[in-house]
């Protein structure tokens, strides 16, 4: 592993100046500091850290987490609690594409003294996600898998098992024309759920119709672009890739004077607090978000200790409530 | 959750007799004890356990683990060390089909007061594996996945990543006719590696030939049934599903006066201690067995605490040694 002396030698400066650069001292120039950091990253330098000074961060993009009824809340609080028990200090960093173009991921992490990070809500085209192919910083991604880099791990919920049970439930209620309103196209989780839906339909010996499958996004308002077309093509049930999408679908159906579940059944995904308070209460595929956060920490702590877990997957739980009933025949 | 009183009521006996049955007291009949245990299992009774009395077990079948050069050794020692740190008492139980037909898995576990088990080396047709579809006993399987039962988890090494890197390595050495000698047909890991091999060949844009793919078993002596046929069909490299198989393959090649890697390249799987002492030393796909054991314990401990992780997968490491070199052209 590279030392402060290696960085000093490479740059032809004193180890003292390197330390200043790494520690953000104010008496060296910004350009010298940048040179120190870039060289440190290039040589794979890792800061030594003491028991009471273990800093990690959570980076969040495209995901709401501020209040308990939002998807990210319990994931983050589960992570924070697990981290606190092991004396890590956790910083939450909302991020976006602009921030990511300003500075390389590894440089950002080193500069701020973070030993590792948990990334939520990132999309495949994000700069930081692309840089994860080669990062040496221990990193855990929710719902994103990076191949061939032992420093990066994936945590998520088994997509197939939940969707399979939803489809079998609908089949037992005599639904045959099942629509699937998926999330944002540009995310790994959406691709996984697309595959899971097709595989589950095949497993249930049902035909998936192209006209009944669409990509939306993970918000309520994507429903209005697709519900009408699903209905026109004869859907008797709509499986949604999130509870928010399902809530939007139910509003859309209500505007068309259709009753859930009498006229059409709806299933959500996640079981956020909203799900059981909708009218009718929502049948959904539950992800245990506290445990997702907890598991993400277990994985990150393992990577920091050079235990190269590549994935931890949790079981979903299929929760049957009032938004599904037998298909109109 | 069922109580001792529930069991007593169901059988029409006193709670004291139920306690005796559960605790294996000598002053009740064997048939009464069996009735108590069967009813306890049926009602989903779980023993209350104190901090200093947490018993779990490791069941082993078809796997050598007694000495450090055997596949199971580090898995089991890694598990035991992690368990000891959390004050679990671990018992190792060698098992076989006869033992499994004598008693139901859940009954065995309850009778012996085990809170959970880690199962190694089981095959798909084993009675106990079949019973895992419905068990309520926290159970972790090495290399076997059980769908739809939240009490059972899977731990293993990512099969695709290791095999993909082996194939890309052989391709970079100009090998095109790559043979694959897999393990015992009746195991999930063998099926997974079969899929991984085909997928990796496709990824590398190489053609897999049926005549170059065979099932053996996880021992050295399966090599003699297949090497000749692989050679006849033009193989320039043989990928094996374990180091033991690879060792057998190298012996077979030596008997035919062929030199590894000059005449033919060989790759193993696992990186057991033997691998680096073979002549030539073996290029192989390393599984970190200590971490597999460690992760198996983390998973079992989670299941015991009602955290329903379905799988933990580790990264393989592709280790290049002397048994691979450019293909003869």
């Amino acid at each position: 592993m590279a030392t402060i002396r290696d960085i000093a030698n490479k740059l032809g400066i004193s180890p003292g100046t390197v330390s200043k650069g790494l520690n953000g001292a104010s008496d060296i120039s910004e350009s010298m500091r940048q040179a120190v950091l870039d060289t440190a990253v290039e040589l794979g330098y890792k800061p030594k850290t003491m028991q009471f000074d273990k800093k990690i961060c959570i980076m969040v993009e495209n995901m709401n987490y501020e209040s308990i009824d939002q998807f990210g809340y319990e994931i983050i609080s589960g992570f924070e609690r697990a981290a606190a028990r092991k004396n890590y200090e956790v910083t939450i960093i909302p991020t976006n594409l602009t921030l990511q173009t300003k500075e390389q991921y590894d440089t950002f992490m080193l500069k701020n003294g973070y030993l590792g990070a948990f990334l939520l809500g990132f999309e495949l085209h994000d700069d930081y996600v692309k840089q994860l192919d080669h990062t040496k910083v221990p990193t855990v991604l929710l719902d994103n898998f990076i191949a061939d880099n032992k420093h990066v791990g994936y945590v998520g919920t088994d997509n197939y098992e939940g969707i399979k049970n939803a489809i079998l439930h609908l089949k037992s209620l005599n639904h045959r024309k099942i629509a699937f309103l998926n999330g944002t196209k540009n995310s790994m989780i959406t691709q996984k759920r697309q595959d899971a839906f097709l595989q589950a339909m095949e497993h249930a010996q049902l035909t998936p119709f192209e006209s009944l499958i669409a990509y939306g996004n993970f918000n309520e308002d994507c429903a209005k672009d697709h519900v009408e077309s699903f209905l026109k093509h004869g859907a008797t049930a709509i499986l949604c890739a999130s509870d928010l999408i399902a809530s939007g679908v139910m509003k859309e159906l209500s505007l068309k004077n259709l009753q859930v579940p009498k006229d059409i059944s709806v299933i959500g995904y996640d079981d956020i607090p909203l799900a059981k308070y909708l009218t009718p209460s929502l049948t959904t595929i539950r992800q245990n978000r506290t445990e997702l956060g907890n598991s993400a920490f277990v994985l990150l702590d393992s990577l920091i200790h050079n235990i190269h877990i590549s994935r931890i997957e949790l079981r979903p739980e299929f929760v049957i409530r009032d938004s599904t009933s037998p298909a109109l025949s």
Side-chain angles (χ1 to χ4, degrees), chain A:
Chain A
M1 211 178 78
T3 63
I4 287 184
R5 187 161 292 278
D6 296 330
I7 302 169
N9 289 344
K10 172 112 189 199
L11 288 169
I13 59 177
S14 75
T17 310
V18 173
S19 289
K20 285 182 183 177
L22 292 172
N23 298 321
S26 57
D27 58 344
I28 71 164
S29 70
E30 190 48 41
S31 62
M32 177 58 85
R33 178 166 194 226
Q34 199 58 50
V36 167
L37 290 169
D38 289 346
T39 309
V41 167
E42 183 192 334
L43 298 177
Y45 172 80
K46 279 184 193 174
K48 285 195 187 59
T49 308
M50 285 174 252
Q51 188 61 24
F52 46 88
D53 182 26
K54 297 191 294 186
K55 286 172 63 184
I56 51 181
C57 67
I58 301 177
M59 291 192 188
V60 196
E61 191 175 302
N62 311 310
M63 187 184 288
N64 295 317
Y65 62 89
E66 287 86 355
S67 77
I68 194 162
D69 56 333
Q70 292 175 325
F71 180 74
Y73 183 89
E74 289 178 313
I75 299 178
I76 289 180
S77 61
F79 183 95
E80 287 182 314
R81 253 175 286 142
R85 282 195 292 270
K86 288 226 171 184
N87 300 312
Y88 281 90
E89 184 191 314
V90 181
T91 309
I92 300 177
I93 304 170
T95 180
N96 55 46
L97 281 176
T98 319
L99 240 160
Q100 291 175 38
T101 47
K102 265 179 57 187
E103 191 151 49
Q104 295 279 308
Y105 174 71
D106 283 15
T107 308
F108 175 84
M109 295 294 288
L110 180 63
K111 190 166 161 176
N112 292 286
Y114 295 126
L115 294 181
F118 176 33
L119 272 55
L120 293 96
F122 282 65
E123 295 185 358
L124 294 174
H125 59 241
D126 279 314
D127 283 327
Y128 275 12
V129 171
K130 287 181 201 150
Q131 292 170 28
L132 292 182
D133 283 346
H134 303 290
T135 187
K136 288 188 179 118
V137 178
T139 304
V140 173
L141 285 161
L142 176 73
D143 289 338
N144 262 303
F145 181 74
I146 303 288
D148 292 311
N149 184 346
K150 64 182 182 179
H151 302 290
V152 184
Y154 148 82
V155 65
T157 305
D158 185 325
N159 286 289
Y160 178 63
E161 199 158 292
I163 290 177
K164 180 192 71 181
N165 287 323
I167 298 296
L168 290 176
H169 169 67
L170 290 173
K171 187 184 179 185
S172 75
L173 297 171
N174 275 318
H175 292 275
R176 294 293 174 271
K177 298 197 105 178
I178 301 172
F180 181 41
L181 183 44
N182 205 338
T184 316
K185 193 164 186 176
N186 207 347
S187 90
M188 192 194 87
I189 195 71
T190 300
Q191 297 306 325
K192 285 268 195 184
R193 290 184 187 164
Q194 191 83 354
D195 294 347
F197 177 75
L198 296 174
Q199 216 183 322
M201 290 291 277
E202 192 186 329
H203 174 80
Q205 298 179 289
L206 295 175
T207 310
F209 297 95
E210 219 173 295
S211 57
L212 296 179
I213 303 178
Y215 293 101
N217 57 50
F218 286 108
N219 295 311
E220 276 192 303
D221 57 2
C222 71
K224 64 179 181 309
D225 302 331
H226 303 286
V227 167
E228 182 149 346
S229 163
F230 287 164
L231 293 171
K232 200 177 76 191
H233 289 96
T236 64
I238 304 177
L239 172 63
C240 306
S242 80
D243 293 339
L244 279 185
I245 299 176
S247 165
V249 164
M250 281 164 67
K251 281 182 190 160
E252 233 13 67
L253 292 168
S254 165
L255 289 175
K256 295 180 191 302
N257 291 316
L258 288 170
Q259 283 183 24
V260 176
K262 190 169 79 63
D263 300 317
I264 184 160
S265 289
V266 177
I267 297 182
Y269 207 112
D270 296 335
D271 197 22
I272 58 173
L274 161 92
K276 61 168 160 292
Y277 299 114
L278 289 173
T279 312
S281 64
L282 189 63
T283 295
T284 189
I285 298 162
R286 177 171 170 72
Q287 300 201 64
N288 188 324
R289 293 176 300 286
T290 301
E291 289 314 330
L292 276 174
N294 196 330
S295 301
F297 173 75
V298 168
L299 213 173
L300 185 58
D301 189 45
S302 298
L303 294 175
I304 288 171
H305 291 94
N306 288 308
I307 298 169
H308 302 296
I309 295 176
S310 68
R311 74 177 78 212
I312 295 184
E313 242 170 24
L314 295 173
R315 299 262 178 196
E317 188 186 344
F318 186 56
V319 182
I320 299 175
R321 296 202 184 94
D322 299 330
S323 65
T324 44
S325 70
L328 287 180
S329 52

